[in-house]
Amino acid sequence: MKLPQELNQAAEEYRNWIGNYLPIGREIIYLSQDDVKSIPLAPEKIRDLVEQSLIAYSAKKVDMPSKIALHPLTDTFFHAMPAYVPELFAAGIKWGSCFPENRRQFGFPQAQGLIIYNDQLSGMPLAVMDCKYITEIRTAAVTYTAIKYLAPQDAETFGMIGCGVEGRQHIKNIVTVLPNLRTIYVYDIFEAAADSLIADLGPGIGASIVKAASYEELVKNSQVIASATIAKEGYDPVIKDAWIGPGKTILLCEGHTLYEDRIFKRADKYIVDSREQVEQFVSYGYYPFGHPAIHAETGEVAAGKATGRENAGDLIVGNNFGMAVEDMFVVRAVFDYAVEHGVGIKLPL
Ligand SMILES: NC(=O)c1ccc[n+]([C@@H]2O[C@H](COP(=O)([O-])OP(=O)(O)OC[C@H]3O[C@@H](n4cnc5c(N)ncnc54)[C@H](O)[C@@H]3O)[C@@H](O)[C@H]2O)c1
């Protein structure tokens, strides 16, 4: 994809603006995780950027090849995630990984990685930054976008399976997208993760958080269910079709891992972030029974080009495995603030 000619001047202006703060081609900015976290990005702004990114992807306004993956051990992956967004003059790549045994084996988080942000006019790197926090906030924002279009807007119950980094971030601002929420059910196979989530986020969240005793309790009681646990290659579902009544909205961050396949096959609408990536993930073995017919991409629904929730009784599944373009929209905002305000350290190239 090429920069449209009419944007040439604006692209040069952006580059000149960066040049006021950073000698492009001689230095880069390095942003640690704390640096990235210190940048004031309001939750509504993140939600907005991420929704725009989904829309831009589905409208084919960005260059984003599917992830390139390495799978060194069972259930682990590295993903190379490049994206170019002409309208933002933003290009770069995330090199992210997920190693689910990290907490137990090494005391590290499951997901981590780095992002390189480039000058799209010369190709020179402008910044290297930690990707963990950006991944965290943009992933929750994808779920929030899906909730906006797929869930009953007056839902009073939400269930979060997995109480780690993503689970916490999902719950933090959930009442902004589901304002009538009364009860949030949480479940984690590592009970301490659920306990500390409740202790840390419970006060002041705007709804009561209840630790579910089982998947069944959470699933049966929640109108909207999100999960962020472990992306697994095999098939060992713990959530049974019989527990899924009408009207549920099921939102997945880790593919089909937890659910019986029949649930997806009988869903009234099955919506994904990227058709192309779903096909690619089939080839990696994530969907041993294939994927259901895809109703639309999340960005098509957000753009009003495809329908979201129409009937209260519909079972709707949103499978958003994550896209580089979501990162890139947030990265541009993070970089712009950092370069202008002197956040991070400058390193010679
Ligand atoms: N879709 C996306 O864009 C996207 C982005 C980032 C992460 N993810 C995925 O989200 C998942 C969670 O990432 P994270 O950074 O929050 O990891 P994390 O390790 O911080 O949290 C995962 C939590 O899930 C719990 N868990 C594991 N298996 C479970 C199970 N079967 N049932 C209930 N709880 C279970 C763990 O005990 C842990 O507390 C990973 O699979 C990751 O690949 C997806």
Side-chain angles (χ1 to χ4, degrees):
M1 181 171 288
K2 303 279 188 289
L3 179 71
Q5 201 143 21
E6 65 272 18
L7 292 183
N8 274 346
Q9 193 187 336
E12 277 178 30
E13 281 165 12
Y14 178 52
R15 186 172 195 275
N16 291 340
W17 177 80
I18 295 170
N20 293 328
Y21 306 101
L22 182 75
I24 298 176
R26 285 191 283 122
E27 290 182 355
I28 59 165
I29 298 178
Y30 174 73
L31 298 174
S32 68
Q33 196 181 127
D34 283 345
D35 292 331
V36 176
K37 273 190 174 167
S38 76
I39 290 174
L41 281 180
E44 315 80 65
K45 165 99 174 158
I46 297 161
R47 256 201 341 262
D48 203 43
L49 287 171
V50 168
E51 182 166 340
Q52 284 175 36
S53 78
L54 294 161
I55 292 173
Y57 173 78
S58 292
K60 306 199 183 329
K61 289 187 171 165
V62 304
D63 217 351
M64 196 200 85
S66 289
K67 298 167 181 177
I68 296 170
L70 305 176
H71 301 101
L73 309 167
T74 305
D75 298 336
T76 67
F77 61 78
F78 290 97
H79 282 163
M81 300 171 64
Y84 170 46
V85 186
E87 69 191 75
L88 292 184
F89 320 120
I93 184 166
K94 175 162 91 177
W95 179 236
S97 60
C98 249
F99 281 65
E101 288 299 313
N102 264 2
R103 181 184 58 211
R104 201 178 53 78
Q105 276 187 320
F106 305 110
F108 294 148
Q110 172 178 188
Q112 59 260 297
L114 292 171
I115 290 168
I116 302 175
Y117 182 61
N118 294 79
D119 169 33
Q120 55 127 38
L121 293 180
S122 65
M124 297 305 292
L126 297 170
V128 172
M129 62 187 83
D130 181 86
C131 83
K132 193 165 165 284
Y133 186 61
I134 290 171
T135 303
E136 192 180 320
I137 55 179
R138 66 74 155 154
T139 304
V142 171
T143 299
Y144 291 172
T145 303
I147 285 175
K148 186 169 157 190
Y149 296 100
L150 308 181
Q153 299 305 292
D154 59 354
E156 295 185 352
T157 50
F158 174 72
M160 185 74 225
I161 305 173
C163 298
V165 170
E166 285 300 340
R168 283 169 167 264
Q169 194 57 244
H170 274 64
I171 286 174
K172 237 176 217 169
N173 296 300
I174 189 71
V175 292
T176 62
V177 282
L178 291 174
N180 292 346
L181 265 194
R182 294 163 72 87
T183 312
I184 299 169
Y185 294 90
V186 296
Y187 181 76
D188 198 297
I189 44 168
F190 180 50
E191 210 177 335
D195 288 336
S196 71
L197 181 152
I198 294 170
D200 295 344
L201 300 181
I205 201 84
S208 61
I209 308 185
V210 172
K211 184 168 68 172
S214 63
Y215 296 107
E216 183 173 0
E217 183 191 339
L218 181 144
V219 165
K220 284 187 170 169
N221 283 298
S222 306
Q223 291 163 277
V224 184
I225 305 160
S227 58
T229 58
I230 294 174
K232 284 192 175 259
E233 293 158 26
Y235 182 64
D236 184 18
V238 287
I239 297 177
K240 307 297 172 201
D241 182 35
W243 303 341
I244 308 289
K248 304 238 185 238
T249 309
I250 297 176
L251 302 169
L252 315 167
C253 291
E254 73 285 71
H256 289 189
T257 298
L258 297 171
Y259 291 81
E260 277 189 340
D261 189 60
R262 183 168 151 59
I263 298 166
F264 303 117
K265 299 288 164 56
R266 74 172 174 85
D268 295 286
K269 286 180 180 150
Y270 179 80
I271 290 158
V272 301
D273 48 5
S274 161
R275 288 187 179 85
E276 189 183 329
Q277 281 192 172
V278 168
E279 294 303 340
Q280 178 200 32
F281 278 44
V282 169
S283 75
Y284 294 155
Y286 283 107
Y287 305 117
F289 305 103
H291 59 78
I294 295 171
H295 167 72
E297 288 181 345
T298 311
E300 292 168 335
V301 177
K305 292 181 179 158
T307 51
R309 178 165 290 280
E310 293 174 289
N311 304 306
D314 281 354
L315 167 61
I316 301 189
V317 176
N319 179 11
N320 297 298
F321 219 113
M323 302 194 293
V325 66
E326 299 152 7
D327 298 308
M328 211 43 60
F329 270 68
V330 178
V331 164
R332 157 93 201 242
V334 165
F335 173 80
D336 286 0
Y337 186 93
V339 78
E340 187 176 4
H341 294 86
V343 181
I345 51 171
K346 290 184 178 159
L347 299 173
L349 265 178

